[in-house]
Amino acid sequence: MTVHQFNTGRDDELAVRPADCGLGHACQFCPKEPECTLDKPHHEKRLLELRLAQIGQIILVMANKGGVGKSTVSANLAAGLAARGFRVGVADADIHGPNQSRFFNQVGQRVRVSERGLDTLSCFGDRLPHPVQVGSLAFMMERDDTPIVWRDAYKHDFMHHLIGSFDWGPLDFLVVDMPPGTGNELITLSDLLEQQAVAAVIATTPQQVALMDSLKAIRFCQERGLPLLGVVENMAGVTCPHCGGEFQLFPRAHLAEALDELGVESLASIPLSPLLAMASDSGAPVTMDQPESPEARAFSPVVDACIEHARQESRQAASEELQALVTANAEELEALLSDVPEEDRAQARRDLEALLAGEHDRLNPERNDDR
């Protein structure tokens, strides 16, 4: 039988909610799970809500095709954001090829389960304002070369664990390295994050066969209503090590034409570079390790686009909250003042009314012109 307790919240004092164990990991990781009588679905839902409440902007790095550089883009985007002073996490959602352990020099590391949840691994805390927090299935496998042979039900559960069971802590950005395709993992995450601040970046190479698949990911975003920041063109060109001349490996005209037709911006062109490959293999993203290199500078527009989008989302949310306050009725305003000491309440009420009147004028400039 599920144990319930009264919810003493202000909205409905008679409402009941299931009791919760307070642990920060899913029931599957708990040794008490077989005999536990608490409401397990409620616990899983609560975990997700608590984690997501501490995360600002989520960036899905997508491509419908494998081998085009999603992991490279994810790692360097995350390191680039962290180098700007943001708190960043990387969620490795590529179940069959979890590579972020390699990109962040954590191959062979394992995570433990604590009362707070599954540990994330903190990376480069000595070189960045805030360490990058990395969560990956690779940290839960006995061997790094173990193949993952799962049906969709297991993939569905792991997507929940990736967001809900890993102890991400407060983050400004969570970069999600997505697997190829528009299948179960993407659908599950899209459903989980539907009410969150989420945007996508598409990684592709200029060759036509890669573009053909990447367009499917673009159309998925458009049909789903998922904000699409733009496309990162990986392996976009080569600089000759002898003469310094630049040349393209793949024709680009069809890519530019397709993006223009769909109204999608090309954010950056990342060169095919030995430096980028060596940095990835050594576990030191170039955006952190060699920020002045041409390869790191090539990622800057992607980092800028993510920051600007997050700021716009934040401004929009703040505007909506202020608009709700402006239109609040007297009873709701009194509820806001209920925690203010009684002797200060009259002055606080006047200050709040003046603030709301000013915000009302700012949010409705066309009405001011009519006065």
Side-chain angles (χ1 to χ4, degrees), residues 152-215:
D152 280 351
Y154 289 98
K155 296 178 182 181
H156 178 275
D157 287 348
F158 180 73
M159 290 299 104
H160 283 74
H161 296 324
L162 184 63
I163 304 299
S165 289
F166 274 98
D167 182 21
W168 295 107
L171 295 177
D172 300 305
F173 290 92
L174 178 64
V175 178
V176 185
D177 182 8
M178 295 299 300
T182 52
N184 184 78
E185 295 95 321
L186 178 58
I187 295 170
T188 301
L189 270 180
S190 297
D191 290 343
L192 286 179
L193 305 175
E194 194 162 14
Q195 303 302 318
Q196 307 302 313
V198 186
V201 168
I202 305 293
T204 188
T205 57
Q207 62 194 124
Q208 201 153 6
V209 67
L211 175 63
M212 180 175 62
D213 286 342
S214 297
L215 292 179

Side-chain angles (χ1 to χ4, degrees), residues 50-287:
L50 290 176
R51 300 295 186 209
L52 291 171
Q54 297 187 82
I55 297 173
Q57 179 70 50
I58 300 173
I59 304 293
L60 305 183
V61 180
M62 298 169 52
N64 205 48
K65 187 173 183 61
V68 297
K70 293 183 303 299
S71 296
T72 299
V73 172
S74 298
N76 281 281
L77 171 58
L81 288 165
R84 305 273 188 99
F86 295 99
R87 299 167 298 176
V88 183
V90 178
D92 195 348
D94 194 345
I95 292 173
H96 296 290
N99 300 136
Q100 292 303 326
S101 60
R102 170 68 64 185
F103 283 86
F104 286 91
N105 198 29
Q106 299 292 335
V107 173
Q109 298 298 313
R110 301 292 177 260
V111 296
R112 296 179 299 175
V113 179
S114 70
E115 289 189 354
R116 298 189 310 275
L118 295 173
D119 293 335
T120 55
L121 296 187
S122 298
C123 305
F124 307 122
D126 58 333
R127 304 178 62 182
L128 294 168
H130 303 283
V132 177
Q133 306 296 330
V134 182
S136 174
L137 182 60
F139 304 145
M140 304 168 68
M141 307 304 296
E142 291 185 7
R143 291 172 53 94
D144 293 319
D145 59 358
T146 301
I148 307 300
V149 186
W150 285 353
R151 296 187 185 276
D152 280 351
Y154 289 98
K155 296 178 182 181
H156 178 275
D157 287 348
F158 180 73
M159 290 299 104
H160 283 74
H161 296 324
L162 184 63
I163 304 299
S165 289
F166 274 98
D167 182 21
W168 295 107
L171 295 177
D172 300 305
F173 290 92
L174 178 64
V175 178
V176 185
D177 182 8
M178 295 299 300
T182 52
N184 184 78
E185 295 95 321
L186 178 58
I187 295 170
T188 301
L189 270 180
S190 297
D191 290 343
L192 286 179
L193 305 175
E194 194 162 14
Q195 303 302 318
Q196 307 302 313
V198 186
V201 168
I202 305 293
T204 188
T205 57
Q207 62 194 124
Q208 201 153 6
V209 67
L211 175 63
M212 180 175 62
D213 286 342
S214 297
L215 292 179
K216 298 173 186 175
I218 293 173
R219 293 191 183 280
F220 173 89
C221 294
Q222 293 176 335
E223 292 174 6
R224 181 88 190 198
L226 177 64
L228 178 57
L229 303 187
V231 168
V232 178
E233 303 174 34
N234 196 25
M235 308 180 200
V238 175
T239 300
C240 177
H242 303 293
C243 69
E246 297 182 359
F247 60 93
Q248 297 293 321
L249 287 175
F250 311 107
R252 188 185 177 278
H254 58 276
L255 173 60
E257 182 180 344
L259 296 183
D260 183 63
E261 182 180 339
L262 291 169
V264 177
E265 181 181 358
S266 176
L267 294 175
S269 295
I270 311 300
L272 181 61
S273 161
L275 174 63
L276 191 57
M278 288 187 292
S280 299
D281 288 343
S282 65
V286 294
T287 50

